[in-house]
Every structure is written in C-alpha cells, then in structure tokens.
C-alpha cells in the first residue's frame, strides 16, 4: 500500500529529494505514484507538516 499526501501538504519540496524511487510529483499539493512507491517511509519521515502517511 503506497503512502499518500494529504491536504496538509505545503509543497515545500522536502520529500521529493528524499524519495529513492522518484515516486513524488510536484503540484499545489504533491502526489505519490502508487506504482512507483516502495513504501520505504522516507518521505513521511522528513515531511515537516506530517502530511504523508499510509492510507
């Protein structure tokens, strides 16, 4: 089950540089491609707004 990004995302970009599978896309609210996400949790660990979690 891939991680998801909630509406609490402030699009700061912290998670993008940490994702080893390049599954995160930029936007007003970032999104995670479930087909690329390896469920490592690195993005959730570095998110300053705690906007990333498992569904």
């Amino acid at each position: 089950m891939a991680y998801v990004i909630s509406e609490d995302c402030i699009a700061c970009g912290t998670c993008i540089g940490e994702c080893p599978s390049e599954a995160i896309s930029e936007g007003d609210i970032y999104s995670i491609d479930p087909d690329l996400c390896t469920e490592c949790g690195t993005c959730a660990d570095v998110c300053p707004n705690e906007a990333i979690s498992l569904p």
Side-chain angles (χ1 to χ4, degrees):
M1 191 174 302
Y3 277 77
V4 294
I5 301 177
S6 74
E7 292 181 7
D8 293 332
C9 175
I10 57 171
C12 67
T14 302
C15 58
I16 287 182
E18 297 297 322
C19 180
S21 59
E22 299 180 359
I24 302 172
S25 299
E26 292 182 58
D28 291 337
I29 294 176
Y30 287 16
S31 62
I32 297 176
D33 183 330
D35 294 328
L36 296 177
C37 178
T38 61
E39 302 168 27
C40 69
T42 303
C43 58
D45 291 342
V46 300
C47 180
N49 236 31
E50 298 180 0
I52 305 173
S53 64
L54 289 171

